Amino acid sequence: MHILLVDDDAELCGLLGEFLTREGFTVECAHDGTRGLERALAPGVDLVLLDVMLPGMDGFEILRRLRPHSKIPVMMLTARGEDVDRIVGLELGADDYLPKPCSPRELLARIRAVLRRRQEPRSAEGPPGAGCAFAGWRLDLVRRELRSPQGVVVNLSSGEFSLLRAFVERPQRVLTRDRLLNAVWGLAFYGDENTLEVYVHYLRLKRGDTDRLLIQTVRGVGYRLAAD
């Protein structure tokens, strides 16, 4: 697997490059936004680790220009870890958002989770058109897309898709935070649980569920999809 690391911190690139190389990845570094976007659009890259604060073009602008042309997995790895920054990253199509500093082992676990979600064989998802309908919406398990009651496609990152799938496959059931974290990131997840709250928050925004009537918070336990 070929990872593109876009970060202007040469020392960090060297350390992460050595670590990920030992774990079996090929790592390429780009130290400015323009070069990072150019390489992300080129063939041969399997995943992008993307900083936000970059010379030439910031990480959010890279995502904004990348997503109309490519569905390559992108993980934001940045010192800007506020919830608003995470939400912007997810809105622009990031598959995960990890604030610096982070544990290399957590980074590795999340990289593997993102790649695993992207590599799931479609044959295991069901026949063409297989999906789940709820409250007028439809989640297509093959195309991995969400359609509104008006037939408009709502783009989902791989993490958002996995989270929504966990809800629609278990409607009206209270799902614990641990169960949802495992559904999206796997048993290896041991990062910041606020990440789940950010994903739920943005999933609500994409569905227009700002009153939290459909995805309900069960205080102290987790969340519930209030639909059949």
Side-chain angles (χ1 to χ4, degrees), residues 3 11 25 29 31 39 50 58 65 74-75 87-88 90 101 106 117 127 134 136 162 181 183 189 201 206 215:
I3 293 178
E11 182 178 358
F25 295 97
C29 296
H31 300 301
R39 287 298 300 125
L50 181 62
D58 69 29
R65 297 190 186 191
V74 176
M75 293 177 58
I87 291 170
V88 170
L90 295 174
E106 180 182 355
R117 291 198 302 266
F134 63 100
S162 297
L181 287 168
F189 180 84
H201 173 73
K206 283 194 172 182
I215 301 178

Side-chain angles (χ1 to χ4, degrees), residues 11-203:
E11 182 178 358
L12 177 64
C13 287
L15 292 173
L16 286 181
E18 289 180 9
F19 172 75
L20 293 172
T21 298
R22 290 197 302 269
E23 295 296 331
F25 295 97
T26 299
V27 180
E28 173 187 357
C29 296
H31 300 301
D32 65 83
T34 303
R35 175 62 176 167
L37 177 61
E38 177 184 315
R39 287 298 300 125
L41 287 169
V45 176
D46 297 298
L47 180 140
V48 179
L49 290 177
L50 181 62
D51 192 10
V52 172
M53 295 177 286
L54 293 164
M57 183 188 309
D58 69 29
F60 292 145
E61 183 62 23
I62 290 175
L63 259 181
R64 189 176 289 110
R65 297 190 186 191
L66 178 66
R67 275 298 172 243
H69 308 286
S70 173
K71 293 184 177 181
I72 186 173
V74 176
M75 293 177 58
M76 307 296 289
L77 181 62
T78 175
R80 292 177 57 170
E82 298 298 322
D83 283 356
V84 65
D85 293 314
R86 298 190 194 196
I87 291 170
V88 170
L90 295 174
E91 179 181 4
L92 292 173
D95 294 272
D96 204 349
Y97 197 110
L98 190 60
K100 297 177 184 175
C102 67
S103 160
R105 287 294 170 187
E106 180 182 355
L107 174 62
L108 177 63
R110 293 203 186 196
I111 287 173
R112 286 175 172 166
V114 168
L115 290 173
R116 184 170 58 249
R117 291 198 302 266
R118 285 300 181 102
Q119 292 169 355
E120 288 176 352
R122 288 192 169 184
S123 59
E125 303 274 356
C132 303
F134 63 100
W137 294 74
R138 182 172 182 83
L139 185 66
D140 191 310
L141 301 180
V142 176
R143 294 188 177 90
R144 301 174 70 87
E145 65 184 21
L146 176 67
R147 285 188 178 271
S148 73
Q150 294 76 33
V152 177
V153 174
V154 178
N155 292 322
L156 299 176
S157 71
S158 61
E160 291 165 349
F161 171 84
S162 297
L163 179 60
L164 184 55
R165 180 175 181 174
F167 281 124
V168 300
E169 289 183 340
R170 301 166 185 84
Q172 301 289 0
R173 293 174 57 184
V174 177
L175 303 180
T176 66
R177 297 174 62 85
D178 286 344
R179 183 161 191 171
L180 291 170
L181 287 168
N182 291 341
V184 180
W185 290 281
L187 294 173
F189 180 84
Y190 53 91
D192 184 358
E193 289 193 1
N194 288 333
T195 300
L196 176 61
E197 296 176 359
V198 172
Y199 269 71
V200 170
H201 173 73
Y202 197 67
L203 202 53

